Amino acid sequence: MLQSDLGEGKKDPTLEFKTAWVGSLAMGMIFFCSPIVSIFTDRIGCRTTAALGAAIAFIGLLSSSFTKSLEVRYFTYGILFGCGSSFAFQPSLVILGHYFKRRLGLANGIVAGSSCLISVPLPFFLKMVGKAIGLAHTFQVLSALMLIQIFLSLTYRPLLPPSCDSQHDGQDKLGSRSVRQQCWAQMRKYFNLRVFRRKTYRIWAFGIATAVLGYFVPYMHLVKYVEKEFKETKKDWILPVCLGGMSGLGRLISGRIGDCIPGLKKIYLQVASFVLFGIMCMMIPQCRGFEGVIVICLFLGLCDGCFTTIMAPIAFELVGPMQASQAIGYLMGLMAVPMTAGTPIAGYFNDYFQNYHAGFYFAGVPPIIGSLVLSVVPLVHQRMLQKQRLDSGKDKMLTPEAVVNGELLPGCPASEAHM
């Protein structure tokens, strides 16, 4: 729709590359802004953060309808809408940790899967509306959905206490510290990097960032590939519907399965989904018919649902509920650059080779490499636990009197034991 609005008659050889940046910037901003969103979520709460983000996204979509310039839409759709979506999206993951613990995976799967009630019919709806009223009015219709999101965000009711530093605020008086020390204290206060002290979190975050380099390539280029390869223009809307529908099913299934898998072994669900996702991407050029691409879309959607749902429960397992917002935020911030770069790189390959084959082969490699990195996390975690047990055992052998002081000995009154 963006290319048609610009006029494909220009025969610009880089048009595919340029238009891919509009949607890619929006997806990248969703993840790039996440560390900042986590700070807002911790300081002003999930409700206010989500409502503010929905308002910004509404402004971005509405302003995109009043221009045809690709460069302006880089800002209105790519930057404004993407940034607002980030502020609206991340609190929806964090708020579930306030309500659920044992069934967090299932709750996350239901919430994430319910989004497919909109995303499944959305491609068909957009194609129909786009032909009837044009791209500009389509942006206005989408902005109305974000307007509704503002009011829905007001239903969030956080139950856990916010992670604020009010106890230490009285100690930092203006006269007791220099300006430089105060600035550094504020930076450390708001940009909390404690989650990176955990080795398992660092490995997990690096593995996810590697795996998502080509993650959105099928979503952005698959419809154009089918139109070019199989001359299929009437049924191409089936592909996004299959992706969205199977993603919803995958989120429900993986959420329930994740609750049954103890601890960090949940990561193996992500490992399996990334391996299968990479293989499916590389099989797209091997399809000899439109039906084969549909089958691959079903598997791609299933993998997407599994990865999306299990991300928040793993973050809660790695760092705990009080730091989960920071963990999710920094992870999505690390994902921003590879996610943004993947789609334009595939578009460049299409412009250079005049086909999408190299782009899909490129998209399949990073998920497989990232899955190998992720498979190490449970092993490292288990080794760290064994080392902690050994260290604690040595401490007890070296200082036996500490055990006596910490326990209630037989015949000792409780009042004396705590003196």
Side-chain angles (χ1 to χ4, degrees), residues 122-136:
L122 190 61
F124 178 76
F125 172 78
L126 289 178
K127 191 170 185 178
M128 179 181 64
V129 172
K131 287 183 178 180
I133 63 178
L135 182 60

Side-chain angles (χ1 to χ4, degrees), residues 223-269:
V223 172
K224 292 288 291 183
Y225 167 76
V226 168
E227 292 177 358
K228 184 176 181 179
E229 194 77 12
F230 305 113
K231 311 300 180 184
E232 183 60 67
T233 58
K234 295 183 178 179
K235 298 180 180 179
D236 55 359
W237 59 269
I238 296 177
L239 301 181
V241 170
C242 290
L243 285 169
M246 286 304 293
S247 178
L249 181 62
R251 294 174 189 190
L252 291 172
I253 295 175
S254 61
R256 184 67 184 92
I257 294 175
D259 287 333
C260 300
I261 300 176
L264 286 180
K265 291 183 179 180
K266 296 180 177 68
I267 290 181
Y268 290 126
L269 282 177

Side-chain angles (χ1 to χ4, degrees), residues 306-317:
C306 180
F307 159 68
T308 304
T309 303
I310 211 68
M311 183 169 64
I314 291 176
F316 277 83
E317 290 283 350

Side-chain angles (χ1 to χ4, degrees), residues 245-400:
M246 286 304 293
S247 178
L249 181 62
R251 294 174 189 190
L252 291 172
I253 295 175
S254 61
R256 184 67 184 92
I257 294 175
D259 287 333
C260 300
I261 300 176
L264 286 180
K265 291 183 179 180
K266 296 180 177 68
I267 290 181
Y268 290 126
L269 282 177
Q270 284 188 328
V271 171
S273 64
F274 277 132
V275 170
L276 184 59
F277 189 92
I279 293 174
M280 290 295 106
C281 285
M282 291 188 287
M283 286 185 64
I284 291 174
Q286 306 299 322
C287 294
R288 295 295 177 262
F290 180 64
E291 293 76 12
V293 180
I294 293 177
V295 174
I296 288 179
C297 281
L298 296 176
F299 283 101
L300 289 176
L302 190 66
C303 295
D304 171 72
C306 180
F307 159 68
T308 304
T309 303
I310 211 68
M311 183 169 64
I314 291 176
F316 277 83
E317 290 283 350
L318 283 170
V319 300
M322 299 307 297
Q323 299 185 53
S325 176
Q326 295 281 340
I328 296 173
Y330 287 124
L331 172 66
M332 297 176 74
L334 291 172
M335 293 164 60
V337 174
M339 272 192 164
T340 304
T343 305
I345 291 174
Y348 173 79
F349 284 151
N350 172 61
D351 294 335
Y352 185 82
F353 295 103
Q354 295 301 308
N355 62 63
Y356 287 94
H357 293 187
F360 287 124
Y361 286 132
F362 156 76
V365 175
I368 296 176
I369 296 176
S371 66
L372 297 177
V373 177
L374 292 176
S375 62
V376 179
V377 176
L379 302 178
V380 174
H381 179 69
Q382 191 65 28
R383 185 176 299 178
M384 291 172 62
L385 288 179
Q386 292 177 356
K387 185 178 179 180
Q388 289 178 0
R389 293 192 190 102
L390 290 175
D391 292 342
S392 62
K394 292 179 181 179
D395 292 339
K396 290 179 180 179
M397 294 177 63
L398 293 174
T399 57

Side-chain angles (χ1 to χ4, degrees), residues 35-344:
I36 301 174
V37 177
S38 65
I39 296 172
F40 276 83
T41 303
D42 287 343
R43 300 298 163 179
I44 65 177
C46 295
R47 180 191 303 173
T48 307
T49 303
L52 177 65
I56 296 174
F58 165 75
I59 295 172
L61 283 173
L62 187 62
S63 57
S64 296
S65 66
F66 296 106
T67 181
K68 285 193 174 183
S69 171
L70 196 61
E71 289 75 16
V72 175
R73 281 175 177 162
Y74 286 156
F75 174 74
T76 58
Y77 188 88
I79 305 297
L80 276 184
F81 171 68
C83 181
S85 298
S86 180
F87 275 76
F89 169 65
Q90 188 177 325
S92 69
L93 298 179
V94 178
I95 195 67
L96 293 178
H98 291 250
Y99 302 143
F100 301 95
K101 184 177 181 181
R102 189 165 61 93
R103 300 294 184 185
L104 179 60
L106 179 59
N108 200 26
I110 293 174
V111 172
S114 63
S115 66
C116 295
L117 296 176
I118 297 295
S119 64
V120 169
L122 190 61
F124 178 76
F125 172 78
L126 289 178
K127 191 170 185 178
M128 179 181 64
V129 172
K131 287 183 178 180
I133 63 178
L135 182 60
H137 293 297
T138 303
F139 275 127
Q140 294 172 4
V141 172
L142 291 175
S143 67
L145 297 178
M146 294 309 301
L147 183 63
I148 297 173
Q149 175 66 22
I150 299 175
F151 299 100
L152 295 179
S153 301
L154 299 178
T155 63
Y156 295 171
R157 294 183 58 193
L159 301 180
L160 296 178
S163 57
C164 59
D165 300 324
S166 57
Q167 297 178 354
H168 304 283
D169 290 343
Q171 301 175 5
D172 298 334
K173 300 296 183 181
L174 293 176
S176 62
R177 291 187 176 188
S178 66
V179 176
R180 183 178 178 181
Q181 289 175 331
Q182 291 181 34
C183 292
W184 178 245
Q186 291 298 317
M187 288 288 292
R188 293 185 63 183
K189 174 181 176 181
Y190 289 104
F191 291 92
N192 183 2
L193 299 176
R194 283 181 296 176
V195 292
F196 287 101
R197 297 176 185 174
R198 297 177 181 267
K199 186 177 182 180
T200 49
Y201 176 79
R202 295 197 302 268
I203 299 174
W204 180 62
F206 175 76
I208 295 292
T210 303
V212 298
L213 177 59
Y215 195 78
F216 280 109
V217 171
Y219 292 88
M220 291 291 186
H221 295 292
L222 199 55
V223 172
K224 292 288 291 183
Y225 167 76
V226 168
E227 292 177 358
K228 184 176 181 179
E229 194 77 12
F230 305 113
K231 311 300 180 184
E232 183 60 67
T233 58
K234 295 183 178 179
K235 298 180 180 179
D236 55 359
W237 59 269
I238 296 177
L239 301 181
V241 170
C242 290
L243 285 169
M246 286 304 293
S247 178
L249 181 62
R251 294 174 189 190
L252 291 172
I253 295 175
S254 61
R256 184 67 184 92
I257 294 175
D259 287 333
C260 300
I261 300 176
L264 286 180
K265 291 183 179 180
K266 296 180 177 68
I267 290 181
Y268 290 126
L269 282 177
Q270 284 188 328
V271 171
S273 64
F274 277 132
V275 170
L276 184 59
F277 189 92
I279 293 174
M280 290 295 106
C281 285
M282 291 188 287
M283 286 185 64
I284 291 174
Q286 306 299 322
C287 294
R288 295 295 177 262
F290 180 64
E291 293 76 12
V293 180
I294 293 177
V295 174
I296 288 179
C297 281
L298 296 176
F299 283 101
L300 289 176
L302 190 66
C303 295
D304 171 72
C306 180
F307 159 68
T308 304
T309 303
I310 211 68
M311 183 169 64
I314 291 176
F316 277 83
E317 290 283 350
L318 283 170
V319 300
M322 299 307 297
Q323 299 185 53
S325 176
Q326 295 281 340
I328 296 173
Y330 287 124
L331 172 66
M332 297 176 74
L334 291 172
M335 293 164 60
V337 174
M339 272 192 164
T340 304
T343 305

